[in-house]
Amino acid sequence: MTKHPRKIIIDTDPGQDDAVAILLALASPEDIDVLGVVAVAGNVPLPLTQRNARIVCELAGKPETRVFAGSDAPLQRPLVTAEYVHGKTGLDGPQLADPVMPLQDQHGVDFIIETLRREPAHSVTLCPLGPLTNIARAMQQAPDIIPRIQQIVLMGGAYFEVGNVTPAAEFNIYVDPQAADIVFKSGVSIVVMPLDVTHKVLTNRQRIEAFRALGTEPGRMVAEWTDFFERFDMQKYGSEGAPLHDPCVIAYLIDPSLFQGRHVNVEIETQSELTMGMTVADWWGVTNRPANALFIKDVDADRFFALLTDRIGRL
Ligand code: RIB
Ligand code: CA
C-alpha cells in the first residue's frame, strides 16, 4: 500500500526551535504535506513570528509555502513574550536577511477553518508549536471544524518536569491558558509533547557540530540557532545544551516509535494566578476524568537527532 504524506498545518511562533521543526517538516515531503504555516504571537510579537516563518521557508528552499499571520494576542490575557530566550528578533544567532516571499492576505484563523472545511474529514493534522490562540479561535468561530480535525500534535505543557516560565506552567500553555482549555476540552485526539520529553532532546557539542558538518546553509543556520538558544537553558538548568522542543512534534509524525507516553486526562489551570497555565496530567489515574491526550514522556534521543540531522541534510 503506498504511503501518503500526512497533511498538516503548522501553527508557530518562531523561535529557533520552531524554525528547526519547520525545516524538518519541509525536508520530509514523503511523510508530510505542509498545507500552510500560520504564525501566532508568542516567543516574539506577530510581526516578527510571521517574518521569521517566511525566512525559514525560504531557507528550506520552499518559498511557495503559504505563510499566514494569525492572532497577535491571546484570547483574554496580555501577551507574554520570550525575547530573553530567543533574542530580540526571535531568531537571534545568525544575521538574517528579510524574507522575499509574500505573506498571504488571508487571516491565519480563516485559513485553518477554510482548509478543514475543504479537505476530507479526518485528513488534516494541526501542529501547534506555540500558544494555542489560533486553534482555539478557529474552534470558537467554526465549531463545525472540530470533528473534522484528524489529530492535534502539539508542543506544550509539563508535569513531572514542572514549568519553565513559572514554577507550574510551560510557556506555550501559560501565554494563552484559556485557548489551551478550549483545545484540551474539544474532544479532538491530542498528542502532547511536554517539557517532560523535550528536555530529553538536548543539543550538545557533538550534535551541534553534526549540523554544521552538513556543510549546507540550513545546517549552518541550525547550528548557529542552537548555539544561541542553548545558552539560556544551560544557565538556568545547568544542563548540557538546549532542548529542541518543537521538532519533537514533527519527528513524531515521521516516526512515532521514537516516543513513549500514556493516554491520560490533562486539564488546564485557568483560575489560580499561582498555577495559571499548568497542565494537570492525571498520570496515575487517580481521578475518573476521561483520558483526552497521549502525554509523551520518553524519547530515543540519539535516534531523534540522527533523523533530524539526516533530514536537515537534504535541504
Ligand atoms: O516552552 C517551550 C515552547 O515555548 C517552545 O515551543 C518554544 O518555541 C516556545 O514557543
Ligand atoms: Ca514555539
Side-chain angles (χ1 to χ4, degrees):
M1 188 177 84
T2 49
K3 186 171 174 254
H4 295 288
R6 191 156 173 178
K7 290 186 280 188
I8 74 169
I9 295 173
I10 297 175
D11 195 89
T12 179
D13 64 336
Q16 289 87 349
D17 61 316
D18 301 68
V20 179
I22 295 166
L23 290 178
L24 178 57
L26 295 176
S28 308
E30 73 270 40
D31 297 302
I32 294 170
D33 177 5
V34 179
L35 301 181
V37 175
V38 180
V40 65
N43 284 321
V44 287
L46 182 65
L48 285 172
T49 57
Q50 60 89 341
R51 168 190 181 269
N52 294 343
R54 289 184 288 145
I55 286 173
V56 177
C57 292
E58 287 182 336
L59 175 66
K62 308 279 183 186
E64 70 281 6
T65 309
R66 294 197 297 160
V67 176
F68 302 80
S71 305
D72 62 4
L75 296 183
Q76 292 177 22
R77 292 170 68 84
L79 177 62
V80 171
T81 53
E83 288 86 352
Y84 58 94
V85 178
H86 298 275
K88 196 168 167 305
T89 69
L91 282 184
D92 281 24
Q95 285 300 318
L96 298 166
D98 282 332
V100 174
M101 66 180 279
L103 179 72
Q104 300 296 311
D105 293 336
Q106 186 179 29
H107 191 286
V109 171
D110 295 332
F111 167 73
I112 292 170
I113 293 169
E114 177 195 274
T115 302
L116 285 165
R117 284 176 170 162
R118 181 191 66 244
E119 296 293 330
H122 297 287
S123 70
V124 177
T125 292
L126 302 182
C127 297
L129 310 178
L132 292 165
T133 314
N134 291 331
I135 313 303
R137 280 221 162 90
M139 291 180 170
Q140 286 178 320
Q141 288 175 18
D144 61 289
I145 66 168
I146 296 174
R148 300 182 64 83
I149 300 168
Q150 179 180 33
Q151 192 167 52
I152 295 174
V153 185
L154 67 89
M155 190 278 143
Y159 188 59
F160 296 99
E161 194 68 8
V162 297
N164 60 357
V165 65
T166 73
E170 176 278 328
F171 179 80
N172 288 340
I173 308 300
Y174 178 73
V175 168
D176 200 341
Q178 282 70 30
D181 191 40
I182 289 167
V183 172
F184 276 79
K185 285 178 177 165
S186 67
V188 175
S189 166
I190 298 177
V191 179
V192 183
M193 292 288 166
L195 298 180
D196 304 69
V197 68
T198 68
H199 280 186
K200 294 175 181 172
V201 283
L202 297 177
T203 57
N204 58 33
R205 271 308 98 207
Q206 184 195 347
R207 287 166 172 169
I208 292 176
E209 288 318 310
F211 290 127
R212 207 184 308 276
L214 291 170
T216 62
E217 188 64 356
R220 182 177 74 81
M221 286 293 183
V222 171
E224 294 196 19
W225 279 332
T226 45
D227 258 338
F228 179 88
F229 180 59
E230 73 174 6
R231 87 216 180 287
F232 173 77
D233 285 83
M234 289 172 79
Q235 201 176 2
K236 175 174 176 180
Y237 294 107
S239 60
E240 181 193 14
L244 278 190
H245 307 288
D246 294 336
C248 287
V249 168
I250 306 302
Y252 176 84
L253 299 179
I254 296 169
D255 184 359
S257 75
L258 290 170
F259 299 94
Q260 290 82 39
R262 187 182 290 184
H263 272 102
V264 295
N265 175 268
V266 178
E267 298 212 359
I268 311 297
E269 174 63 76
T270 58
Q271 304 305 311
S272 152
E273 275 306 326
L274 177 65
T275 53
M276 182 62 68
M278 180 176 180
T279 45
V280 181
D282 183 8
W283 187 262
W284 304 112
V286 296
T287 75
N288 56 8
R289 296 196 292 259
N292 60 340
L294 175 60
F295 201 79
I296 300 295
K297 191 166 179 283
D298 288 302
V299 58
D300 181 329
D302 287 335
R303 282 178 56 214
F304 169 85
F305 276 97
L307 171 70
L308 185 55
T309 308
D310 173 67
R311 293 291 170 101
I312 301 288
R314 293 174 166 187
L315 297 174

